[in-house]
Amino acid sequence: MSENTNVATSSRRWLDLAKRQLHWTICFVLIVIVSFYWALWASDRYVSHAHVILESPQISTPELSFSSILSGGGGKNSADMLLLRDYMLSTDMLHFLEKNADFREHYANNGDFFSRLGDQNAPTEKLLDYFHSVVSVELDEYAGVLRVDVDAFTPEEANKVASLMLQEGERHMNEMGQRLAEQQVKFLETQVNSLETRFEETRQALLEFENENGLASPTSTVQSLGSVVAQLEGQLASLKAQRSAMGSYQSKNSPQMVNLQSQISALQSQIEEEKGRLAAQSGGALNAVSSKYQMLQLRAQFAQQAYSGTLAALENTRVEAARQLKQLSVLQSPTMPEYPEKPERFYMIAVFSVIALFVTLIINMLILIVKDHKD
């Protein structure tokens, strides 16, 4: 009887103490429950790690600056790496994993109550939040390396999700980089076809004009006629000088003077005729023909230059389109986990215990302060 009495007395004392120190009781009960969950109930999770960098064949001139020294020189592709990170954590990537990695089924049908996906038919917004809780994509700006970590309830699923994310990320970056280049190529191809047609039309017009006038080069003909006129005028000046000299000692009716005058008259007539061919206002005047020919020739040359320039731009754009290809260089391929890295059971128990004790201690201090004020 005495032993039962002692046990009952001890139990009442503990109950009284628990009632008086209710906050400490709740604290220790929570620590026990949480410790039980992390130690025994929480499901094992396997983590697949991958480290990648994004490269392209485009060659850039190295730059040395204070900011590049501080960043370690690894930030050349930081913009592209951030775009890749954003896509890897996007809804589009989530939908891709749903179709190709059975994301919903795996995370809804495995794991404990708190770590698994609560509803296999959860809306996209909630599924995306869960996706962010099991997938980590972080950029090391100093080294320029993208670190991908994927949690799953089996090693195979973790490795599969990580591998698919890398493959789809590379495909998306290539598609995004080439889209603008392809549009530029299509535009330039259209311009090349248009300018090629225009160039052929101007060349054909030039050839038809030459055939109609029976001249291979009206400009050359005009230059030749000008040379002829200059020579004739030189001969005319020489004959006139001879006539002046002979007139000082011979009469106008002498045979020599008559012959010289005949030559001068013939040269004058020939010069007038050649000048008429150059400057006559008729439709067949060589100066008008030459002017029109030069205009057609300039049009053909301009069309040729525009065509050749657009061809060069097209080839350069095609080269740039090839340079837009991005390649994920894998520094560490997605690992196949051999043991569960998560949850970190002892760490989680220790952290919760410290926080719970700290909060309870604050509550206890507040209670003591209130009691002192009442007294």
Side-chain angles (χ1 to χ4, degrees):
M1 275 304 279
S2 60
E3 291 181 359
N4 294 333
T5 303
N6 291 333
V7 169
T9 304
S10 177
S11 298
R12 283 195 300 271
R13 288 177 180 176
W14 280 108
L15 288 174
D16 293 339
L17 179 63
K19 290 179 180 179
R20 290 195 304 270
Q21 304 291 335
L22 181 61
H23 51 288
W24 286 109
T25 303
I26 295 174
C27 174
F28 287 116
V29 169
L30 289 177
I31 290 176
V32 171
I33 294 174
V34 171
S35 299
F36 172 78
Y37 169 74
W38 288 117
L40 301 175
W41 190 10
S43 300
D44 291 335
R45 286 182 291 165
Y46 298 86
V47 183
S48 179
H49 305 279
H51 298 169
V52 297
I53 59 176
L54 191 63
E55 295 181 324
S56 68
Q58 187 172 2
I59 300 175
S60 59
T61 304
E63 296 182 358
L64 181 62
S65 62
F66 184 71
S67 59
S68 64
I69 295 175
L70 290 179
S71 63
K76 294 181 289 184
N77 292 329
S78 59
D80 289 338
M81 298 284 277
L82 288 173
L83 290 175
L84 176 60
R85 175 185 179 275
D86 188 70
Y87 178 72
M88 282 187 170
L89 297 175
S90 67
T91 305
D92 292 337
M93 178 63 74
L94 175 60
H95 292 328
F96 174 79
L97 295 176
E98 286 185 77
K99 295 178 181 178
N100 296 277
D102 299 325
F103 187 87
R104 284 180 181 269
E105 291 77 5
H106 173 79
Y107 288 96
N109 299 326
N110 295 279
D112 60 83
F113 177 80
F114 295 102
S115 61
R116 67 169 177 259
L117 178 63
D119 182 9
Q120 185 171 340
N121 299 317
T124 302
E125 291 78 9
K126 292 185 178 180
L127 185 62
L128 184 64
D129 291 337
Y130 184 83
F131 174 65
H132 290 164
S133 69
V134 298
V135 172
S136 172
V137 183
E138 298 298 332
L139 174 62
D140 185 342
E141 295 185 358
Y142 183 83
V145 176
L146 203 65
R147 307 183 189 277
V148 182
D149 298 329
V150 178
D151 300 1
F153 297 109
T154 62
E156 295 78 12
E157 182 69 13
N159 178 268
K160 181 179 181 180
V161 170
S163 299
L164 288 175
M165 287 180 66
L166 296 186
Q167 295 172 11
E168 178 64 11
E170 182 177 14
R171 183 204 64 78
H172 173 75
M173 293 301 294
N174 285 332
E175 179 183 357
M176 184 178 65
Q178 282 190 300
R179 189 178 301 126
L180 178 59
E182 289 176 355
Q183 291 176 354
Q184 293 175 341
V185 168
K186 289 180 180 179
F187 172 76
L188 288 175
E189 286 177 344
T190 303
Q191 292 299 309
V192 164
N193 294 332
S194 175
L195 290 173
E196 183 179 8
T197 303
R198 180 183 174 187
F199 177 50
E200 290 296 330
E201 290 176 352
T202 55
R203 287 187 59 217
Q204 188 63 33
L206 187 61
L207 291 174
E208 290 178 355
F209 182 80
E210 290 177 348
N211 294 332
E212 288 176 1
N213 292 273
L215 299 171
S217 177
T219 303
S220 300
T221 303
V222 170
Q223 293 175 352
S224 299
L225 288 175
S227 300
V228 170
V229 170
Q231 291 176 0
L232 291 175
E233 288 180 342
Q235 294 177 10
L236 178 61
S238 178
L239 291 176
K240 285 183 177 181
Q242 292 180 17
R243 185 183 62 178
S244 298
M246 291 178 63
S248 62
Y249 61 87
Q250 288 189 4
S251 66
K252 294 181 180 181
N253 296 324
S254 64
Q256 292 83 359
M257 288 292 290
V258 172
N259 182 33
L260 192 59
Q261 185 63 41
S262 298
Q263 291 182 16
I264 291 173
S265 298
L267 282 175
Q268 288 176 342
S269 299
Q270 185 65 32
I271 290 173
E272 292 297 329
E273 181 180 351
E274 296 300 333
K275 287 184 175 180
R277 292 180 62 189
L278 285 172
Q281 299 301 317
S282 60
L286 281 175
N287 58 348
V289 173
S290 176
S291 176
K292 187 173 182 180
Y293 177 80
Q294 288 178 350
M295 182 183 66
L296 293 174
Q297 192 175 39
L298 285 174
R299 287 180 180 176
Q301 291 175 353
F302 179 78
Q304 182 181 10
Q305 292 174 359
Y307 176 62
S308 61
T310 307
L311 272 179
L314 176 60
E315 292 304 318
N316 290 335
T317 304
R318 283 175 175 167
V319 172
E320 290 299 324
R323 288 180 178 178
Q324 294 298 325
L325 288 174
K326 305 293 182 181
Q327 179 182 359
L328 280 181
S329 295
V330 180
L331 302 180
Q332 176 180 298
S333 57
T335 57
M336 180 65 73
E338 296 183 1
Y339 71 94
E341 292 185 28
K342 293 183 179 181
E344 300 177 8
R345 302 179 188 276
F346 178 77
Y347 173 78
M348 298 303 295
I349 292 173
V351 169
F352 180 81
S353 299
V354 170
I355 293 175
L357 291 172
F358 181 73
V359 172
T360 306
L361 181 61
I362 293 175
I363 294 174
N364 185 69
M365 292 176 63
L366 293 175
I367 293 174
L368 294 176
I369 291 172
V370 171
K371 287 182 177 181
D372 287 342
H373 280 287
K374 285 183 177 180
D375 296 339

